[in-house]
Amino acid sequence: MPLPQEFHDIANRVNNWGRWGADDETGTLNLITPDVVRAAAATVRSGLRIPLALPLRHDGVQTGAIPGRTNPLHTMVAVNEEIFGPGTVATSDDTVTMGLQAATHWDGLGHVSHSGRLYNNRPAGSVTAHRGATALGIEKAAPIVSRGVLLDVARAHGRDRLTGGHAVTPEDLEAAEELAGTAVRSGDIALIRTGQLRRYLAGDREAYAFPSPGLSLRTPEWFHARDVAAVANDTLTFEIFPPEIANLWMPVHALHLVEMGMLQGQNWNLEELSAACAAEGRYAFLLSAMAEPFVGGCGAPVAPVAVL
């Protein structure tokens, strides 16, 4: 089904092509300025460090529904080998095979195209079978350190977890912003908690994947109006799944990555952070979330840390 006019109208309103120059491959990460980083560092009070990544494991979040997006397969290639001879120092080494977007990750700007184009009007054909993303590779992502703001939509609704059919709206984001007691501002990284990851943490991988709450088609304009640098959440699909408009698959991906040039993250564990923010009564913090710089990657694993 062709993309509907509603999608194209929103795309025109949030489009950032050319905003940072015709050659830009960084997108909204340009909004993380030195002033933004200094302000982010000033949010640190208790020094509490909270990891937001899922462990990389063979029985991870992937169900096999997305071909090739395999959970990590860890293999030992050396175990206590005395490679310099008997009685010398011994070493152990290992290797891993996995989908770059298998666990906690950022989607890169080369991950999605529509109408034959990628972010900043680059041709979709610049992603090739042999070299991956020849432009907009995840290695082009600027260092991702900024102020993070937890928009705890589930807690704002007084719930541990949103239902599978809940499409997160701008009104939901504003309710979570009110709970947070701080306005999302330019250069921030917004972390959207739905509570859906609780299903995976409880051992139900299939229920975690489907059906899933997620961001609605109305939210990209909210992030664009606030000049948000990046967005991540605690679901497998990021946007509501199944989609809110029949047969319109991944429209939020396309609006964020293609039109806005904004990275989005999935499978972030926001449960400990939710409890800590509620306990401290504040929802803004220093966030370090650098993508692994795989050259030509359409996404990358990330091990984010929130520092309160």
Side-chain angles (χ1 to χ4, degrees), residues 92 194 200 235 290:
S92 297
T194 69
Y200 171 71
T235 74
M290 182 65 188

Side-chain angles (χ1 to χ4, degrees), residues 281-292:
R282 59 194 185 92
Y283 288 75
F285 40 84
L286 177 65
L287 179 67
S288 174
M290 182 65 188
E292 290 290 344

Side-chain angles (χ1 to χ4, degrees), residues 163-168 196 206-217 235-253:
T163 62
H166 190 113
V168 175
Q196 179 70 358
E206 297 291 338
Y208 170 60
F210 178 86
S212 177
L215 294 175
S216 81
L217 189 60
T235 74
L236 184 73
T237 55
F238 190 80
E239 51 198 284
I240 185 171
F241 189 80
E244 56 195 312
I245 298 176
N247 296 316
L248 180 56
W249 302 96
M250 297 177 69
V252 178
H253 278 67

Side-chain angles (χ1 to χ4, degrees), residues 247-269:
N247 296 316
L248 180 56
W249 302 96
M250 297 177 69
V252 178
H253 278 67
L255 291 167
H256 283 178
L257 299 169
V258 180
E259 299 295 333
M260 296 169 64
M262 184 173 71
L263 299 190
Q264 61 179 43
Q266 285 125 278
N267 303 318
W268 288 44
N269 187 351

Side-chain angles (χ1 to χ4, degrees), residues 78-84 88-93:
V79 178
N80 294 317
E81 286 193 12
E82 295 174 329
I83 59 176
F84 299 106
T88 61
V89 173
T91 63
S92 297
D93 270 331

Side-chain angles (χ1 to χ4, degrees), residues 116-178:
R117 311 309 291 178
L118 296 161
Y119 168 66
N120 224 9
N121 204 26
R122 284 182 166 78
S126 61
V127 180
T128 70
H130 295 292
R131 295 180 57 199
T134 61
L136 304 173
I138 195 66
E139 80 280 3
K140 303 294 179 60
I144 305 173
V145 178
S146 190
R147 190 178 82 138
V149 177
L150 177 64
L151 296 177
D152 199 335
V153 176
R155 190 178 293 273
H157 278 274
R159 307 180 63 177
D160 290 332
R161 180 180 61 82
L162 301 178
T163 62
H166 190 113
V168 175
T169 65
E171 291 78 15
D172 287 330
L173 298 177
E174 286 166 8
E177 195 177 41
E178 184 176 353

